[in-house]
Amino acid sequence: MHTVFLELLWWLQHPGSGSGGGSGGGGGAADAAAGGGYSCAMQGGLMLVMLVVFYFFLIRPEQKRRKEQEEMLNSIRKGSKVRTAGGILGEVVSIQDGEVILQIAKGVRVNILRANISTVESDKSSDAKSSDAKSSDAKSSDAKSSDAGKDAGKDGDDAKEGA
């Protein structure tokens, strides 16, 4: 193990520093003064680049995810359907400071920590709005498809008459 470490150090050694060690040979203080500043600047620049990469690829996305989670937890209202970290789906019955009471079945209520809520599935009010929007979209879609079918039938009748 010790020899592997020494071989690694020998391999990383600057090529202009001679045979490696001591004050003799062909290296010494002159090489350290000439190339040492450049090497230090390169290492500092590389360290700065690594810090920027870590910030943009690791730290910043984690802060964004944490902020979204906090906003989601603050948006929980009575009647919201939520899913816990354990996978339990329930309706919020009561909200206290750090705890939420969920009704997971008729007459079955559980008290969980607010931080253990992983997603908000839906709200009663948004369900009513979305179901109304879906039904009106479906009705308009059906009307458009029936109009298109009537137009296609007329075109087919015209083609038969012309032949």
Side-chain angles (χ1 to χ4, degrees):
M1 179 72 181
H2 187 261
T3 58
V4 172
F5 180 69
L6 289 176
E7 287 179 18
L8 178 66
L9 288 177
W10 181 74
W11 183 72
L12 291 175
Q13 188 176 9
H14 191 271
S17 63
S19 60
S23 59
D31 285 338
Y38 178 72
S39 177
C40 184
M42 284 292 287
Q43 288 178 355
L46 184 61
M47 185 65 77
L48 185 64
V49 167
M50 291 298 290
L51 286 174
V52 169
V53 167
F54 270 102
Y55 177 75
F56 281 108
F57 286 110
L58 295 175
I59 297 170
R60 193 168 176 223
E62 179 64 24
Q63 288 175 342
K64 185 177 179 183
R65 188 196 61 77
R66 189 177 299 137
K67 181 181 176 185
E68 289 172 354
Q69 179 77 7
E70 194 66 34
E71 289 174 357
M72 185 265 308
L73 289 176
N74 290 334
S75 72
I76 296 173
R77 301 284 178 249
K78 188 174 179 179
S80 299
K81 289 197 182 267
V82 296
R83 186 166 305 272
T84 66
I88 298 173
L89 180 65
E91 183 178 334
V92 176
V93 175
S94 167
I95 301 173
Q96 297 162 355
D97 289 333
E99 297 179 348
V100 176
I101 297 176
L102 294 180
Q103 182 169 347
I104 57 176
K106 188 174 182 180
V108 180
R109 294 182 179 187
V110 290
N111 189 6
I112 65 163
L113 292 174
R114 192 177 199 147
N116 286 336
I117 295 175
S118 60
T119 59
V120 176
E121 297 290 327
S122 64
D123 291 334
K124 283 184 176 179
S125 60
S126 66
D127 281 346
K129 290 177 184 176
S130 65
S131 65
D132 289 342
K134 286 180 183 176
S135 64
S136 65
D137 287 343
K139 288 178 186 176
S140 65
S141 175
D142 289 341
K144 288 179 183 177
S145 64
S146 65
D147 289 343
K150 289 178 186 177
D151 290 340
K154 288 179 184 177
D155 292 340
D157 291 339
D158 293 339
K160 288 179 185 176
E161 290 176 8

